[in-house]
Amino acid sequence: MTPLIATRDLSRWYGPVVGLVDVSLALEPGVVGLLGPNGAGKSTFLKLVAGEIRPSRGSIEVLGRDPFANRAHFAEIGFCPQQDALYGEMSGLAFVAFLLRLSGYSARDARERAARAMERVGLADAMERETRGYSRGMRQRTKIAQAIAHGPGFLVADEPLTGLDPIARRGIVQLLLDLAREGTSILVSSHVLHEVEELTRNVLLLHRGRVLAQGEVPEIRALLSRHPRKVEIRARDARALARGVLDLPGVQSLRVSRDGASLGIETFDLEGFLAALPAAAARSRAGISSLETPDAGLEAIFDYLVA
Amino acid sequence: MIVPGLLASTGLLFRAHVRRVWWSRRALACLVLAAAPPSLAWLITVSNPKLTGAAIATTFGWLLLLQVVVPLIALIAGSAVITEEIEDRTISYLFSRPIPRAAVLLGRWSAALVFVSALLSGSAVLTVAFASRSSVPGPPLDGGILAPLLGAAVLGGAVYTALFASAGVFFRHPMIVGLGYAFAIEGFLANLPGRNQALTVQHYLRSLVVSRGSPPWLEVETVDASIFQPSDAPIVVLLVVIAAVLALASWRISRREFVLSA
């Protein structure tokens, strides 16, 4: 099967500023989260994928094609750029319909599809208004609408959740999940890790223009075996619980809060620890009320990797 | 769904932008510039009773409209053709559609051309109209005065707009490049004696006016009719310049990448 994206020694710099360095990878179709802090090279990678810029060195193929200024490529992708820019004097509907006309739709089809896309992003009530009066979240949703209106097989979205309120954000996350279920491949970037975690477990981590890690979150997490896993437990008597779990598998450190209500544990054998914990808790009569493993998420993985 | 070709996508972009181009600060600046020749013509008819209407029309038409207002309006409108999309960071939407990239240049240039032509036509017509209010007896202000001025203004607007729109494809700051070209290079070459003038747009605009105009045009102080091109030659040269410049810029825009800041 043709990879969604295949790169070899892909590098891009802007004068003396390095955007991306020697990225060689192959991404399969599906939903991929592109993660990294600001300046990591996410937007550069997405612009290369979207065919907006060309590599300084190396090569990139998207669905088997060189994407730069490639009309066949543009017929198959939807691109939601990062910049907060629309034609202010056009209505949201007219803006999306205009871009659909450029994708080859008749005036009637373009208007119908644009209206459907605007409804899908939750802007049915505002789509006849000029975009200059839109809030940032509405503009963001209009950008997403123009990227999905022509039903692309591959959606490239640069920070699509930025500027959205929690309700709109949930709506867009659900929309992206629906598109993925319908068979659309999605490459979505964010520097807010939990946003991507809601969309996919398949991630590509960038830092200072280089690929830090690529794959499923659990696989990446497994690579971090040198880091102990954290367990946070709230209990009626955390001190008693601390005494009871001290000898459990892999325990490296224990920390009881000043109020004696919570216990922080670090262990190299999380599964073994969790298996033995109920018996230890029963023996110590500590009364556990909650248990969390806070570093199982992407945020912690990212912290570990860039440390 | 049929992916639009060059003509169809140029038409779509023209229609989208032909209304937009009127509603901007650039448009306001162009309007003020276009109003200058007729306003001054009116002022002169009121304040200087010695000048004939033909003298006022030809002097302001030649010195102000053709040599200053035409290049300036074309510079403001033409340099925005591509630069505005870059500065507004909207070019990503156009360049991620399956259209020939040249359509963005040609469609937006066509829209700018309509705008520039409308302003310059109005300016030329009003300049002659206000000049005709002069009560001093003199040559008639007929088609021999207006037609060549109108033709040169519109054709000059077209060729300068094409030049400056193309500058936006090649240079990051087309306004500065255009100012340098229109007023330093052209201003210098067009006023040198001899054949060097043939390297400037101004030379062909002046040739057009002199070859098609009535006798009052020959009385403008700086006119030396002996150096100008005959009859249709200026029109042909200017049309060739427009075609060549747009073809070159179309080739370039198809290959150039435009890096936008986030």
Side-chain angles (χ1 to χ4, degrees), chain B residues 60-242:
Chain B
F60 281 106
W62 185 275
L63 294 176
L64 187 58
L65 184 61
L66 290 184
Q67 296 191 35
V68 178
V69 173
V70 167
L72 266 183
I73 287 182
L75 176 61
I76 294 168
S79 63
V81 164
I82 293 299
T83 310
E84 192 172 65
E85 293 281 355
I86 296 170
E87 287 174 353
D88 292 349
R89 296 176 298 164
T90 47
I91 203 163
S92 295
Y93 299 113
L94 305 180
F95 280 179
S96 59
R97 300 287 148 178
I99 56 169
R101 283 178 159 208
V104 178
L105 170 72
L106 299 175
R108 292 207 47 160
W109 171 73
S110 306
L113 182 59
V114 168
F115 169 76
V116 167
S117 299
L119 283 190
L120 293 175
S121 301
S123 184
V125 169
L126 287 176
T127 301
V128 174
F130 284 129
S132 70
R133 291 165 58 94
S134 171
S135 54
V136 180
L141 274 167
D142 54 12
I145 300 285
L146 178 61
L149 181 61
L150 198 58
V154 171
L155 194 54
V159 71
Y160 278 121
T161 311
L163 277 169
F164 301 136
S166 301
V169 176
F170 288 93
F171 303 104
R172 191 180 289 267
H173 301 292
M175 183 76 96
I176 295 168
V177 174
L179 270 175
Y181 171 76
F183 296 102
I185 298 174
E186 279 229 330
F188 177 67
L189 286 178
N191 293 303
L192 276 182
R195 292 288 163 198
N196 288 325
Q197 293 187 19
L199 297 172
T200 67
V201 175
Q202 279 296 320
H203 171 76
Y204 297 98
L205 296 181
R206 295 174 192 182
S207 296
L208 183 63
V209 170
V210 170
S211 64
R212 300 278 176 129
S214 54
W217 282 110
L218 298 173
E219 292 166 17
V220 182
E221 192 178 343
T222 59
V223 170
D224 174 5
S226 64
I227 61 167
F228 291 124
Q229 310 278 327
S231 196
D232 291 338
I235 298 176
V236 173
V237 170
L238 291 176
L239 290 177
V240 168
V241 168
I242 292 173

Side-chain angles (χ1 to χ4, degrees), chain A residues 183-302:
Chain A
T184 306
S185 290
I186 301 173
L187 178 62
V188 57
S189 78
S190 177
H191 61 278
V192 182
L193 307 185
H194 67 83
E195 285 182 353
V196 169
E197 215 171 4
E198 287 178 51
L199 287 167
T200 180
R201 296 178 71 76
N202 190 14
V203 296
L204 178 65
L205 271 68
L206 291 178
H207 185 59
R208 293 182 182 169
R210 292 179 187 276
V211 175
L212 217 53
Q214 179 199 346
E216 296 275 325
V217 175
E219 290 172 11
I220 295 171
R221 189 64 188 78
L223 293 173
L224 300 166
S225 54
R226 64 194 167 95
H227 292 280
R229 301 284 298 276
K230 290 176 184 166
V231 180
E232 298 287 342
I233 300 173
R234 291 194 69 78
R236 192 179 58 245
D237 187 352
R239 287 191 179 85
L241 182 62
R243 284 192 294 274
V245 301
L246 193 58
D247 295 328
L248 293 189
V251 172
Q252 293 298 300
S253 69
L254 291 167
R255 175 182 43 80
V256 179
S257 64
R258 281 171 186 263
D259 61 4
S262 67
L263 174 64
I265 299 160
E266 287 188 331
T267 173
F268 278 110
D269 181 5
L270 181 65
E271 286 183 10
F273 175 82
L274 292 178
L277 179 64
R283 279 196 303 274
S284 60
R285 299 183 181 185
I288 291 176
S289 57
S290 70
L291 181 148
E292 286 178 35
T293 53
D295 62 352
L298 283 169
E299 192 85 45
I301 292 173
F302 197 80

Side-chain angles (χ1 to χ4, degrees), chain B residues 43-61:
Chain B
L43 265 178
I44 295 295
T45 57
V46 172
S47 63
N48 189 344
K50 293 178 189 167
L51 287 172
T52 65
I56 295 170
T58 52
T59 303
F60 281 106

